[in-house]
Amino acid sequence: MNFGVGLGRMRRWVVSTGFVAAVAALASGATLAQGLPPELQQAWRATRLSENEVSIVVQELNGPRLVAINADQPRNPASVMKMVTTWAALSGLGPEYRWRTAFYADGDGRPDAQGGLKGPLYLKAAGDPLLSVQELWSLLRELRLRGIKNLSEVVVDRSVFGPVAIDTGAFDGAADRPYNASPDALVVGLGAVRLSFQPDPVARKWVPVIDPPSRNIRVAGEVLWSDQTCPGSPSVSTAVIAGGGGATIQVSGTAAGSCGEFSVYRLALSQPQHFETVFRQIWGELGGTLAKGVRDGVTPARATLVAWHDSESLSDMIRHVNKFSNNVMARLLLLTLGAEEVGRGATAQTGAQAALRILQTQSVDTRGWAIDNGAGLSRDARLTASGLASMLNAAWNSPMMPEFISSLAIVGVDGTVRRRLRSDEARGRAHLKTGTLRDVRAVAGYVLGASGRRYLMVSIANGERSTAIRAFDDALISWLSER
């Protein structure tokens, strides 16, 4: 079914009925469908949702609101909350903000003839949201190039954040899934390990390989070999069992050999354990030694900077957060905002306070809002469609508008909306952020109309049947793209 409507026909509808009158009808108690153009009425009725389950705002940028339904009702936005976190971070920190992960040493920082330091090697963490294993390898290689080889111990300084670790199974019981990763001042590779299943056609078996290799993680169980034609992505079950300072990943399932090598990513260790495991592996490969181990501590004020790694810029970082809806990165952005705006020892609460204060200086109406972790992976987070629309309008009028909009997924092209409206004329004409939880569906962003005008839209549905709103949202995007 084509829910779009021709531009000329839509203009005739606006003239004949008057959109202002339609909105007034909504305010006077008429049903939601009666306040929409005919094609959208049909799409709305097909959802079988109650008007009380949704909040919708549609507005021409720097122009009038075209639709406002339950606009001031606080609702759970799911991952649409990431728009708030990324915009507040961009506003408060600036597009060129970077995170520095740095090694320090006592004295002049130079090693002795045997490659040893005078005291511990200090690692001052900054909360880099996207520090990769490869970047850590490069940083450790810098130490080796400076002649450092034999370490007594490594002291990790996490003081930029306060106690921020979470129970990764608390939200939905899926403690091993990367989307539940805990924030930490030192997150490497998003805290996840890759479990690669490599095919052995001769033995007709799958060989599991842990990456990065770890003596603290082992694989138990077996994925059975199938000779059938590859049906698509293999379905493999995993269960992570912690114990003895390490973890066992129990695997099961069946995979067709014709599918070839495939991987799954899992959380197997806490963030501090994961870092230590990766550090030991890389440092050993580089020929380094570590006598005592890794512990938490504080970098002395007089310690000497030895080597460092600066992250990519914030304007690049938020593309990962919004286009691919990365939860732990969003959490780290909020914590960083708290550290920079309020002070070291940041928590999600101080980050939320900083974000709200920044938005309020932009005249964004944050009444009824509740920001907890900044990622939207929450049952308690709340936004209003009206307030979010005002934030989107403020972002549009900011000098940093291009950086923010380019971080959003392009409908039918990439990110979380790459499969939506791919065959529709709206393809490529909307920059959006989606949100999905049980009983929550949300989408917000910008749509370019055929006339050259741009519109912002916010749609949030909460309730057991919230999944039904997707077709209506797509129809709304199509309609706006044809205006």
Side-chain angles (χ1 to χ4, degrees):
M1 181 180 294
N2 180 12
F3 294 123
V5 58
L7 182 61
R9 186 176 177 185
M10 184 52 60
R11 284 174 175 163
R12 291 194 296 273
W13 180 86
V14 171
V15 171
S16 63
T17 64
F19 217 100
V20 174
V23 175
L26 282 174
S28 65
T31 65
L32 186 153
Q34 290 173 335
L36 297 171
E39 289 77 3
L40 291 183
Q41 288 181 24
Q42 187 178 12
W44 169 253
R45 292 192 185 98
T47 69
R48 298 182 181 274
L49 290 167
S50 163
E51 179 178 335
N52 295 328
E53 295 176 285
V54 302
S55 292
I56 300 173
V57 168
V58 179
Q59 178 180 332
E60 182 178 334
L61 282 161
N62 298 319
R65 284 194 174 177
L66 306 180
V67 181
I69 300 161
N70 298 322
D72 296 318
Q73 175 66 44
R75 296 192 191 276
N76 189 334
S79 283
V80 166
M81 179 63 79
K82 293 182 176 72
M83 298 182 91
V84 173
T85 302
T86 53
W87 174 245
L90 196 59
S91 299
L93 304 175
E96 276 301 306
Y97 182 89
R98 296 173 191 267
W99 290 257
R100 172 166 288 188
T101 303
F103 282 114
Y104 291 80
D106 291 323
D108 61 8
R110 295 179 181 177
D112 58 26
Q114 287 73 44
L117 293 172
K118 183 178 180 180
L121 178 70
Y122 301 97
L123 176 51
K124 194 168 187 178
D128 185 342
L130 200 58
L131 180 66
S132 69
V133 173
Q134 293 82 358
E135 287 168 338
L136 180 60
W137 178 90
S138 180
L139 182 53
L140 294 181
R141 183 172 176 272
E142 287 294 322
L143 294 178
R144 293 292 288 114
L145 290 175
R146 286 162 173 74
I148 298 172
K149 179 181 180 182
N150 302 312
L151 301 175
S152 59
E153 63 178 343
V154 175
V155 177
V156 180
D157 185 347
R158 291 181 163 88
S159 60
V160 65
F161 298 156
V164 297
I166 63 170
D167 176 358
T168 58
F171 181 72
D172 58 4
D176 65 342
R177 299 309 167 100
Y179 65 81
N180 276 323
S182 176
D184 189 82
L186 185 55
V187 174
V188 179
L190 301 175
V193 296
R194 181 171 72 103
L195 183 55
S196 172
F197 290 90
Q198 301 175 1
D200 183 344
V202 176
R204 298 181 70 254
K205 61 186 256 184
W206 292 100
V207 181
V209 176
I210 295 289
D211 178 31
S214 171
R215 65 182 182 181
N216 296 322
I217 303 173
R218 71 182 190 91
V219 180
E222 182 182 8
V223 173
L224 300 178
W225 182 279
S226 166
D227 292 323
Q228 72 178 120
T229 301
C230 184
S233 298
S235 178
V236 173
S237 297
T238 63
V240 176
I241 304 167
T248 298
I249 304 178
Q250 185 76 34
V251 301
S252 61
T254 301
S258 58
C259 291
E261 182 176 341
F262 64 95
S263 299
V264 296
Y265 291 82
R266 293 293 182 263
L267 303 175
L269 304 170
S270 69
Q271 296 288 12
Q273 289 174 322
H274 181 71
F275 164 73
E276 181 172 355
T277 295
V278 176
F279 179 91
R280 286 181 177 275
Q281 176 66 31
I282 297 174
W283 190 239
E285 289 177 352
L286 292 171
T289 66
L290 178 60
K292 296 180 182 178
V294 179
R295 65 176 175 86
D296 283 350
V298 178
T299 306
R302 294 185 178 180
T304 300
L305 179 63
V306 177
W308 64 92
H309 167 75
D310 288 340
S311 73
E312 60 184 74
S313 69
L314 175 61
S315 61
D316 291 325
M317 200 73 75
I318 64 174
R319 292 169 61 85
H320 301 282
V321 178
N322 283 333
K323 283 186 180 288
F324 305 105
S325 208
N326 192 288
N327 290 317
V328 70
M329 289 182 69
R331 290 175 183 268
L332 291 170
L333 283 185
L334 190 71
L335 289 167
T336 300
L337 189 62
E340 293 290 354
E341 294 286 322
V342 180
R344 296 180 68 83
T347 63
Q349 182 179 12
T350 61
Q353 291 170 354
L356 290 172
R357 185 162 59 245
I358 288 169
L359 296 176
Q360 287 160 5
T361 64
Q362 299 172 353
S363 299
V364 175
D365 185 357
T366 61
R367 290 176 296 177
W369 286 26
I371 303 174
D372 48 10
N373 58 40
L377 195 67
S378 166
R379 298 295 174 192
D380 301 318
R382 294 292 184 272
L383 297 177
T384 60
S386 180
L388 185 56
S390 67
M391 189 200 83
L392 292 176
N393 202 63
W396 175 260
N397 289 295
S398 165
M400 291 180 289
M401 174 270 289
E403 285 76 16
F404 180 63
I405 292 184
S406 68
S407 76
L408 304 176
I410 305 171
V411 70
V413 176
D414 68 6
T416 59
V417 292
R418 65 188 180 281
R419 293 189 177 95
R420 294 178 70 165
L421 298 169
R422 294 182 70 175
S423 301
D424 192 274
E425 291 182 4
R427 183 178 187 272
R429 301 184 70 87
H431 287 74
L432 304 168
K433 181 72 194 78
T434 58
T436 303
L437 288 175
R438 187 189 73 241
D439 300 339
V440 179
R441 292 296 185 277
V443 61
Y446 304 92
V447 184
L448 174 63
S451 65
R453 296 176 181 174
R454 287 190 186 266
Y455 304 88
L456 64 82
M457 62 165 288
V458 179
S459 172
I460 306 174
N462 287 181
E464 294 180 357
R465 295 176 297 124
S466 60
T467 55
I469 202 170
R470 174 166 169 157
F472 173 79
D473 287 339
D474 284 352
L476 180 57
I477 295 165
S478 293
W479 171 60
L480 287 172
S481 73
E482 293 182 2
R483 284 179 62 85

